[in-house]
Amino acid sequence: MDTQADFFHRTLPKVELHAHLNGSVSSQTIDKLIRRKPHLNIERSMTAIGKGQRRTLEECFQVFKVIHQLVDTEEDILMVTTDVIREFAADGVKYLELRSTPREETNTGLTKKGYVETVVKAIQLCKNEGLDIDVRCLMAIDRRNGAQVAMETVKLAEEFLLSSDGSVVGLDLSGDPKVGHGKDLLPALQRGRNSGLKLSLHLSEIPSQLEESDLLLNLPPDRIGHGTFLHPEVGGSQSLVDKVLKNNIPLELCLTSNVKGQTVPCYSQHHFKYWYQLGHPIVICTDDKGVFCTDLSQEYQLVSSTFGLSHEDLWNLSEQAIDCTFAPETIKQQLKQKWTDLKPRLFPAAS
Ligand SMILES: CNc1ncnc2c1ncn2[C@@H]1O[C@H](COP(=O)(O)O)[C@@H](O)[C@H]1O
Ligand SMILES: [Zn+2]
């Protein structure tokens, strides 16, 4: 990795659309949390998957449980959210959609509403700091918790859609893909959609979910998380691909996450190639930058070194991501202007 490439990828203005809040907590923030809660006996190595390490997806979900133990008060959520936003801003991210599952913690008196209020407050605090990053929030439905909780989350999101000054823009469906079935969550997702909430759904993150993916694609979602096993070469189907293409649904792709979580055997076999060759809208994302020890610059660098993309190709990818955001049209136009203004810094010869 040469320094020139590093400068390019870090300076490249970027859009991050798939980042789980508690999976994005950096080792520095984890250290602060561990100091706050020494009685939990949690070590930093239990909260992240280091270089060259792999885990099964089940093991990844154990890691989130450990982080959730460390993040269980309003104070923690405020610190975690502001730290994560500052880190993305320092990495050249100009627009960020953070997603998080509202949690209730009876031992600390935290309510789901309080959880979301705190995330929105942190977004506001960062705005007041004058950071060069626009941040929005998606409320996550953990598929493990079933239909009733999903519906409660949608209702809460509806409230925040009206009251959060544009901070809460949509819903995410995530959680352990082996648990629960998407069909039970359709009424909640449908309702959210009808209320004007945008939908980003984890889809076919593991094999053999053709039926579920088909049902969820009929909504249709506004974006797809991963979509690793949608295409026929890996056991998906042409009809699923056709639905994605027909509705022009962008895919959020997270290379390190998929390789470390072992749903993809190696970088060169990542489904980025399949969708990129089709010219379909794709957005490079981190998923869980803390847990998978990455950042968005590294993910862009990985894409370019694995698939031989030029700086110009990467520029186009990051610029096209603006159209995939859930931001209002005026914000998209402002972001495009920002990209135009920044381009001469990265392509001096062309200016
Ligand atoms: C690795 N692939 C993945 N697949 C599915 N869901 C994932 C995920 N990575 C993270 N999450 C979801 O995000 C939560 C942590 O952040 P929040 O507490 O919501 O901020 C996890 O508990 C899981 O539900
Ligand atoms: Zn995810």
Side-chain angles (χ1 to χ4, degrees), residues 85-243:
I85 293 172
R86 287 181 194 135
E87 288 155 3
F88 274 116
D91 189 36
V93 174
K94 305 295 177 196
Y95 177 91
L96 164 66
E97 280 172 23
L98 268 180
R99 52 187 79 192
S100 197
T101 325
R103 262 181 302 132
E104 219 153 49
E105 294 287 347
T106 36
N107 51 335
T108 62
L110 186 71
T111 62
K112 287 188 183 180
K113 191 169 181 175
Y115 184 100
V116 184
E117 276 169 354
T118 311
V119 172
V120 171
K121 185 175 163 190
I123 293 174
Q124 200 57 47
L125 280 173
C126 288
K127 204 171 177 179
N128 297 344
E129 268 178 31
L131 293 177
D132 185 15
I133 185 169
D134 187 320
V135 187
R136 314 273 160 165
C137 172
L138 307 181
M139 285 174 54
I141 295 170
D142 186 335
R143 45 188 298 144
R144 172 178 43 157
N145 296 332
Q148 201 185 330
V149 172
M151 192 58 91
E152 280 168 29
T153 306
V154 171
K155 288 179 184 167
L156 197 58
E158 286 172 355
E159 279 181 45
F160 279 96
L161 180 67
L162 299 174
S163 69
S164 66
D165 202 17
S167 289
V168 174
V169 290
L171 296 165
D172 148 89
L173 173 65
S174 55
D176 188 341
K178 294 209 175 85
V179 184
H181 198 292
K183 72 170 182 302
D184 302 329
L185 311 172
L186 280 173
L189 294 168
Q190 189 73 61
R191 175 179 165 144
R193 199 183 147 73
N194 293 343
S195 314
L197 291 156
K198 300 283 187 184
L199 301 183
S200 169
L201 312 180
H202 284 62
L203 225 74
S204 283
E205 190 178 0
I206 55 170
S208 319
Q209 288 190 312
L210 272 64
E211 188 207 335
E212 179 186 285
S213 294
D214 191 55
L215 280 173
L216 293 171
L217 279 172
N218 288 340
L219 280 162
D222 299 283
R223 289 198 313 253
I224 293 168
H226 305 300
T228 316
F229 295 93
L230 286 173
H231 54 299
E233 284 87 333
V234 287
S237 76
Q238 192 57 43
S239 79
L240 291 177
V241 172
D242 288 343
K243 279 192 186 179

Side-chain angles (χ1 to χ4, degrees), residues 52 60 67 167 186 193 230 234 245 255 314 328 334 346:
C60 295
I67 299 171
S167 289
L186 280 173
R193 199 183 147 73
L230 286 173
V234 287
L245 296 178
L255 275 77
L314 291 188
Q334 286 170 21
L346 284 156

Side-chain angles (χ1 to χ4, degrees), residues 66-83:
V66 176
I67 299 171
H68 285 155
Q69 277 184 280
L70 281 170
V71 184
D72 69 345
T73 67
E74 283 186 21
E75 205 187 348
D76 299 334
I77 296 158
L78 195 67
M79 177 177 78
V80 160
T81 312
T82 48
D83 281 5

Side-chain angles (χ1 to χ4, degrees), residues 18-20 99 172-175 202 205 225-226 252 254 257 286-288:
H18 189 134
H20 299 272
R99 52 187 79 192
D172 148 89
L173 173 65
S174 55
H202 284 62
E205 190 178 0
H226 305 300
E252 305 152 351
C254 316
S257 163
T286 54
D287 209 8
D288 300 286

